[in-house]
Amino acid sequence: MRIYFFGFKFFETLELISGQVSFLKALKYGIIPLFLTIVFLLIITLLFNHHIHLEILKRKKSVEEATDSILTQLLFGNDSYENMRIAVEVFKFGVPYTRRWCRQFVLERILQMKQIFQLDGEILLNIYKLFEFEKITYGLLRHKKWYKRSLGIYQLQFLHDVAKKKELDLLLKERNSEVKSNALITLISFSPERFAILANYDNPLNKADEIKILDIIYHNTPVLPKKTCILLKSKNTSIVILGIKLLSLYQVPFSEKQVTRLVRFSNFRVRKEAIEAIGKLKMKEANKVLIDQYKIELHKEVKMSILVSFKNIGNQENLELLKSLLNTEQDTDLKFKIIDAIVSLQPYFFEERTNATNTFDQETYSMALHVKDPYLV
Amino acid sequence: MSLYETILDFLEFIGGIFSAVYLLAYLILGILAFISLKEFYRSKYFLRKTILTKSNQAVGVSIVAPAYNESVTIVSNVKSLLSQEYPKFEVVITNDGSTDDTLAKLIEEFSLVKVNFHYQEKIKTKPVRGHYKSTNPVYSNLLVVDKVNGGSKADGSNAGINSSKYSLFICTDVDCILRSDTIATLAKPFIENTEKVIATGAMIRISNSCEFKDGRLFKSHFPSNFFARFQELEYIRSYLFGRMAWSKINGLLLVSGGLGMFDKETVIDAGGYWHESLGEDFDLIMRMRRLMHERKKPFLIKYVPESLCWTEVPSTFNVFFRQRIRWARGLIQTIRIHRRVLFNRKYGLTGLIALPYFLFFEFAVPIFEVIGILILLLNLFFFEVHSYALMIITVTIYLFYITITLLSVLGDQIFFKHYASQKEMFSLIITVFSEPILYHPLNVVASIIGYYHFFINKRKKWGEMTRKGFKKALE
């Protein structure tokens, strides 16, 4: 048979290979009806899904007012527990509470309210229990799917349900790193003063974990635990970094021994973090260590951090070093930071020198103008 | 058997194998996209965006947006960019030598004054005339760069990157409307991963027909314009189906020029956007990937399946066709420039899978389609056509195509639920069925012309798109 259109030869070959079953017949009686069915089902699903979405939007709108009203009453009404329970029962009767979307809507609204009004965990937990949502949350914690457990932890953290600490302790032993991390963060959020437990945490923390932990500490400002310094001795470098950040947040200066150890730490991220903290804490006594480190430091980012710290803790010795570096430094980023630091330590250095000898090249002059411009600070 | 018949036999065989592999590739991409979407939605409780938008530990991000003759919309668009909900960001607008009063409007509205900005030209650009900052503290995070026109968006973006102060930057168009949590959403992958993330991208939607209020999306409608509605469909399929799948295997080669977040250091080391490129976004990602492979450093390019950006697309035949011709030229130009990467083990997944896919299934498909039609016509003239087989196979391919598009649309509806009415859903479904017949051939022709222009080395011409502006929501 001759070829008839592009690609047919290949299909003809397939037909020969398949032997008994004609390829075209397979398409006609198998694949095409299958595709037609899929296309039909997809269209129905698409229209149905969109219809349901619009319906739920409408329904949610209809229960929105009632939900907001009951939650406001419960949160700010100072009612007795019995009155609150009766109000919730009346509410449940007035809305399609048996429907999943409705329960979900109320649950989300409670969590939203907590976020908006920064509500006390105990009041919220009571309201949560009145709606019997705690059963859902507890159920999620034991769910076989990790992301459901993660959702459960998220709700628990929102509720500040400290009674479930034991369950969270168990989740710390999870293999899934996300669940493990979330459990750890929630435990810290329950008792922020216990963040020293991090010392024994062996998984690497990413920036997200750092942000979450620091966020909890920042919003709760607990008393700094005595043992926080042990974080600096952890074998896990991300815990060391977190320890540095925490001490910096609490304005706790490092000891001389800690400064030397951290500024010369093998991991450059730790060095950088420690140097930045030294600058923020204005630890002038660490000046000599930083000057020595600058001379041997190979990592550009760390060098930049040292220069930034010089702005806060520098003295005449730093200034002399910076002036000598000004003539030799070839890297423009470092040169920029050097000029910035010089201006911080001796604000009229460039004007005085320019008036006297006019020795600066165009680049240095331009950088000096930049760091002194009030709109660019 | 004549020589003619032998050649046709050969082409037929190759064509068949090609089609079968193409369909298989699509199936694999579909499965990967599904897994990727599932993973994304399962991990949403790991780091809540609300923490990021309030944290004093957030990483700084610069929004870089070049503007050329955008006088009509520049003020409202800059205000929209400044309304991002994120604790540490700046907006860097590059006035790329506008011949209208774009700069004057910015100066007047934002009380700008010229500052002594030390411009470090880490990426080569046309001369910068000056930098402007606002005297009003409310706009302290706005920086305007005024430069000589570079004839391309790339040059404007590069000047913005050189002037930006944070280690991450978003590259966008000044006329794009961004969702208020765009920075937080795009920055999340950089923060959540322990491996180095060099770029992130997200879904871009079409703003034609949408309603906006105070610089934000108010109501989403399916476009009414012929070209816009097909492009909407194309965007959904390409973003949800293609890019999610490539993101899953870390093979993403394209982060759209309309919206992407990048690691500044890697971009500068890779040489920034190339101003001669017709597909500068594709080219930049290729160069960033090459750099990381050559340095033997692990990296990630992540795609976020959320609609974060709304942009106006061509709504007339001329503008649309010109754009597609340019895209086709950009595709072949980039593949040619990076041809050494192809099938090169040194470049890992980029050289062995991602770029070959672009070569065979993005670049070659229009050529195969045209050859197929030509052979069919030759057969019609010289031989008897097996119309039954032709019909069966055409219907199968058509249904496969429709299924893929409908699956993408369903995914879009489940995760984003964008359209305001059921009537618009019907329009969308009709568009799905008519796309292969009405719209796809236009793309094929534009691609072939683009390739032809590339081979005859026709001088590149950007052309201008007349913007209709955004429809405002009724108060």
Side-chain angles (χ1 to χ4, degrees):
Chain A
M1 185 191 271
R2 243 247 43 84
I3 41 175
Y4 296 106
F5 59 89
F6 195 51
F8 187 66
K9 188 76 186 169
F10 173 75
F11 297 117
E12 205 180 42
T13 314
L14 277 184
E15 200 165 318
L16 288 174
I17 295 166
S18 64
Q20 298 295 314
V21 185
S22 156
F23 183 69
L24 287 177
K25 274 186 184 165
L27 287 183
K28 189 182 173 186
Y29 297 111
I31 304 293
I32 291 178
L34 178 72
F35 273 139
L36 278 173
T37 315
I38 293 172
V39 166
F40 177 74
L41 289 174
L42 281 172
I43 293 170
I44 297 297
T45 315
L46 206 53
L47 292 172
F48 182 70
N49 178 274
H50 193 252
H51 171 74
I52 291 291
H53 165 67
L54 293 176
E55 272 304 302
I56 288 178
L57 269 187
K58 256 191 257 170
R59 288 176 191 175
K60 274 184 181 173
K61 202 120 188 115
S62 69
V63 296
E64 192 178 344
E65 204 176 308
T67 309
D68 286 350
S69 167
I70 178 82
L71 289 180
T72 314
Q73 186 191 333
L74 295 175
L75 287 167
F76 308 110
N78 291 326
D79 284 346
S80 67
Y81 185 80
E82 191 49 32
N83 283 349
M84 282 163 80
R85 197 186 59 76
I86 293 166
V88 168
E89 287 310 314
V90 172
F91 168 77
K92 282 181 182 175
F93 191 71
V95 295
Y97 196 72
T98 49
R99 308 301 294 267
R100 200 167 149 233
W101 65 263
C102 186
R103 288 197 305 273
Q104 193 64 31
F105 178 76
V106 177
L107 194 152
E108 280 168 13
R109 212 67 177 173
I110 294 175
L111 297 180
Q112 266 175 16
M113 288 239 176
K114 149 91 179 169
Q115 217 168 6
I116 296 166
F117 300 113
Q118 297 289 317
L119 295 166
D120 176 48
E122 204 178 327
I123 300 170
L124 198 84
L125 190 61
N126 283 337
I127 295 170
Y128 211 71
K129 282 179 178 170
L130 281 172
F131 283 100
E132 294 171 8
F133 286 144
E134 88 282 10
K135 286 176 192 162
I136 299 175
T137 302
Y138 298 164
L140 286 172
L141 287 176
R142 285 185 287 267
H143 204 283
K144 60 181 180 178
K145 289 176 178 161
W146 70 266
Y147 55 93
K148 293 281 183 190
R149 290 198 296 279
S150 202
L151 174 62
I153 297 171
Y154 160 79
Q155 291 179 354
L156 212 61
Q157 189 183 347
F158 248 98
L159 294 170
H160 207 78
D161 191 355
V162 287
K164 286 285 154 184
K165 266 184 191 173
K166 276 189 181 169
E167 297 246 3
L168 288 171
D169 276 330
L170 285 175
L171 290 169
L172 271 183
K173 290 166 192 155
E174 274 263 355
R175 257 190 293 173
N176 183 293
S177 62
E178 290 194 15
V179 173
K180 196 173 169 175
S181 160
N182 281 356
L184 176 80
I185 307 288
T186 307
L187 269 174
I188 293 174
S189 79
F190 284 174
S191 38
E193 68 288 350
R194 279 185 57 212
F195 53 72
I197 56 163
L198 283 164
N200 300 321
Y201 192 71
D202 48 6
N203 273 27
L205 294 180
N206 55 27
K207 185 84 184 159
D209 293 316
E210 269 176 34
I211 288 177
K212 284 188 277 188
I213 294 170
L214 290 168
D215 190 66
I216 292 163
I217 310 292
Y218 191 78
H219 284 107
N220 295 285
T221 51
V223 178
L224 181 78
K226 283 176 190 166
K227 287 181 181 173
T228 307
C229 288
I230 61 165
L231 297 183
L232 302 181
K233 290 178 186 164
S234 170
K235 285 175 185 167
N236 186 343
T237 50
S238 43
I239 297 294
V240 179
I241 290 170
L242 189 69
I244 295 169
K245 286 192 169 180
L246 286 169
L247 288 172
S248 166
L249 188 72
Y250 279 92
Q251 298 280 310
V252 178
F254 305 124
S255 69
E256 198 182 324
K257 210 173 154 188
Q258 283 168 341
V259 167
T260 316
R261 185 173 162 268
L262 294 172
V263 170
R264 290 174 188 160
F265 208 90
S266 55
N267 183 297
F268 87 92
R269 278 197 66 212
V270 174
R271 291 204 299 277
K272 185 172 177 286
E273 211 59 60
I275 290 161
E276 282 173 9
I278 286 169
K280 281 180 201 159
L281 294 168
K282 297 191 170 41
M283 290 180 62
K284 294 194 174 175
E285 62 276 21
N287 207 351
K288 181 81 178 71
V289 184
L290 293 197
I291 290 176
D292 292 343
Q293 185 62 29
Y294 189 87
K295 290 171 185 166
I296 55 166
E297 180 62 60
L298 298 172
H299 211 283
K300 187 176 160 181
E301 274 185 58
V302 182
K303 282 184 131 183
M304 303 257 279
S305 299
I306 295 176
L307 292 169
V308 172
S309 290
F310 279 170
K311 283 172 68 176
N312 291 331
I313 61 168
N315 55 25
Q316 196 57 36
E317 195 185 349
N318 298 81
L319 198 57
E320 291 311 316
L321 171 73
L322 292 165
K323 285 174 188 172
S324 68
L325 289 170
L326 187 61
N327 299 320
T328 52
E329 187 57 69
Q330 296 298 311
D331 186 293
T332 51
D333 292 324
L334 287 173
K335 193 171 177 180
F336 198 83
K337 292 284 175 206
I338 289 168
I339 291 169
D340 193 18
I342 290 175
V343 170
S344 290
L345 297 172
Q346 191 178 336
Y348 296 103
F349 170 78
F350 288 96
E351 286 85 343
E352 287 161 9
R353 190 68 75 85
T354 308
N355 291 338
T357 54
N358 196 17
T359 53
F360 297 116
D361 57 63
Q362 186 59 38
E363 188 184 57
T364 308
Y365 186 68
S366 168
M367 285 181 180
L369 283 175
H370 182 121
V371 298
K372 287 179 80 80
D373 194 303
Y375 295 111
L376 294 170
V377 176
Chain B
M1 192 185 276
S2 71
L3 180 66
Y4 166 73
E5 279 182 288
T6 313
I7 292 170
L8 283 190
D9 265 356
F10 175 73
L11 284 174
E12 291 248 337
F13 196 77
I14 296 293
I17 291 176
F18 181 82
S19 309
V21 176
Y22 187 44
L23 297 183
L24 188 69
Y26 250 83
L27 271 178
I28 294 169
L29 285 180
I31 294 164
L32 287 172
F34 177 70
I35 296 170
S36 193
L37 273 169
K38 221 167 64 174
E39 280 177 359
F40 177 81
Y41 282 93
R42 282 178 177 180
S43 63
K44 69 177 173 181
Y45 294 105
F46 181 57
L47 174 66
R48 293 194 306 277
K49 262 182 271 177
T50 45
I51 292 179
L52 264 187
T53 52
K54 287 173 189 154
S55 173
N56 57 353
Q57 298 288 323
V59 284
V61 177
S62 304
I63 301 178
V64 173
Y68 175 71
N69 288 353
E70 303 273 358
S71 168
V72 181
T73 52
I74 189 77
V75 171
S76 58
N77 289 342
V78 170
K79 280 185 179 170
S80 167
L81 291 176
L82 285 167
S83 67
Q84 280 290 305
E85 287 167 6
Y86 195 73
K88 202 172 165 187
F89 79 101
E90 64 167 350
V91 174
V92 183
I93 304 292
T94 309
N95 175 46
D96 197 13
S98 298
T99 51
D100 64 2
D101 61 346
T102 300
L103 183 63
K105 281 203 169 159
L106 284 170
I107 290 173
E108 192 193 340
E109 180 66 29
F110 297 102
S111 315
L112 300 178
V113 288
K114 203 167 186 174
V115 290
N116 295 309
F117 194 96
H118 173 68
Y119 180 67
Q120 291 197 56
E121 202 182 55
K122 291 186 173 172
I123 308 168
K124 191 102 186 108
T125 62
K126 288 276 180 191
V128 167
R129 290 189 283 237
H131 289 77
Y132 295 80
K133 288 281 285 181
S134 176
T135 54
N136 184 347
V138 174
Y139 304 122
S140 62
N141 57 344
L142 171 67
L143 174 72
V144 174
V145 187
D146 181 34
K147 67 179 277 288
V148 172
N149 182 259
S152 67
K153 185 193 161 193
D155 201 59
S157 300
N158 287 339
I161 297 166
N162 285 337
S163 307
S164 63
K165 66 175 173 187
Y166 294 121
S167 60
L168 296 178
F169 73 89
I170 284 181
C171 198
T172 186
D173 295 324
V174 78
D175 55 291
C176 283
I177 296 282
L178 303 186
R179 208 171 78 184
S180 59
D181 60 348
T182 297
I183 302 181
T185 311
L186 287 176
K188 256 184 91 180
F190 284 90
I191 293 161
E192 284 175 337
N193 288 284
T194 40
E195 274 178 298
K196 186 179 174 75
V197 177
I198 58 168
T200 51
M203 205 161 173
I204 296 180
R205 306 297 291 224
I206 288 165
S207 65
N208 308 46
S209 299
C210 289
E211 292 173 56
F212 294 88
K213 197 174 175 181
D214 302 327
R216 292 183 185 183
L217 180 78
F218 177 70
K219 216 171 213 177
S220 187
H221 295 288
F222 187 60
S224 51
N225 175 275
F226 177 84
F227 290 101
R229 56 174 48 195
F230 287 117
Q231 286 172 87
E232 169 94 338
L233 207 58
E234 202 179 24
Y235 274 41
I236 293 172
R237 192 176 48 226
S238 136
Y239 283 101
L240 267 189
F241 201 86
R243 293 193 196 179
M244 275 315 288
W246 286 112
S247 175
K248 170 71 193 151
I249 55 168
N250 196 26
L252 209 57
L253 290 192
L254 192 61
V255 169
S256 171
L259 182 71
M261 188 180 274
F262 302 88
D263 174 61
K264 188 163 89 175
E265 194 189 2
T266 313
V267 170
I268 289 174
D269 290 348
Y273 287 103
W274 180 40
H275 69 283
E276 284 291 321
S277 177
L278 286 157
E280 72 278 355
D281 39 10
F282 178 23
D283 176 67
L284 175 67
I285 293 292
M286 272 309 296
R287 274 185 293 117
M288 287 171 79
R289 294 187 78 101
R290 280 181 79 164
L291 184 83
M292 297 307 282
H293 283 302
E294 281 161 10
R295 286 178 175 173
K296 294 192 169 67
K297 285 193 174 163
F299 67 95
L300 294 173
I301 298 180
K302 301 295 272 183
Y303 178 76
V304 184
E306 287 193 44
S307 304
L308 299 179
C309 173
W310 281 261
T311 188
E312 200 176 331
V313 294
S315 53
T316 62
F317 176 78
N318 281 344
V319 182
F320 166 78
F321 210 62
R322 215 164 45 215
Q323 183 200 56
R324 292 307 157 116
I325 289 172
R326 183 164 54 79
W327 284 7
R329 281 185 76 175
L331 174 70
I332 186 169
Q333 182 194 43
T334 311
I335 291 175
R336 187 177 177 275
I337 287 166
H338 299 284
R339 60 188 180 280
R340 278 178 54 199
V341 176
L342 274 168
F343 309 110
N344 190 336
R345 278 174 59 191
K346 187 178 153 188
Y347 296 103
L349 190 87
T350 314
L352 298 176
I353 299 176
L355 196 61
Y357 174 89
F358 264 67
L359 175 70
F360 291 119
F361 300 133
E362 295 284 338
F363 164 72
V365 163
I367 299 173
F368 270 94
E369 285 184 54
V370 171
I371 294 174
I373 291 165
L374 287 177
I375 292 177
L376 183 67
L377 291 174
L378 283 174
N379 281 323
L380 273 171
F381 277 110
F382 299 108
F383 302 99
E384 178 194 354
V385 167
H386 196 317
S387 51
Y388 170 70
L390 176 65
M391 193 185 73
I392 292 287
I393 290 177
T394 308
V395 169
T396 310
I397 301 292
Y398 177 78
L399 287 173
F400 181 82
Y401 195 86
I402 298 292
T403 308
I404 295 289
T405 312
L406 281 173
L407 274 171
S408 308
V409 172
L410 182 65
D412 186 54
Q413 284 304 302
I414 289 171
F415 294 116
F416 308 115
K417 297 182 177 81
H418 271 287
Y419 305 114
S421 72
Q422 199 74 314
K423 192 182 155 197
E424 289 180 6
M425 280 308 299
F426 278 111
S427 297
L428 179 71
I429 291 166
I430 291 166
T431 312
V432 171
F433 281 92
S434 55
E435 190 209 3
I437 302 153
L438 298 176
Y439 179 74
H440 184 73
L442 291 177
N443 268 321
V444 173
V445 175
S447 296
I448 298 296
I449 295 173
Y451 300 161
Y452 174 70
H453 283 180
F454 177 80
F455 284 116
I456 62 165
N457 206 12
K458 192 175 172 185
R459 203 171 69 84
K460 79 168 186 179
K461 196 178 164 189
W462 282 82
E464 281 177 33
M465 182 170 128
T466 313
R467 302 205 179 273
K468 296 195 169 158
F470 298 114
K471 194 193 271 186
K472 280 191 180 159
L474 295 169
E475 294 296 323

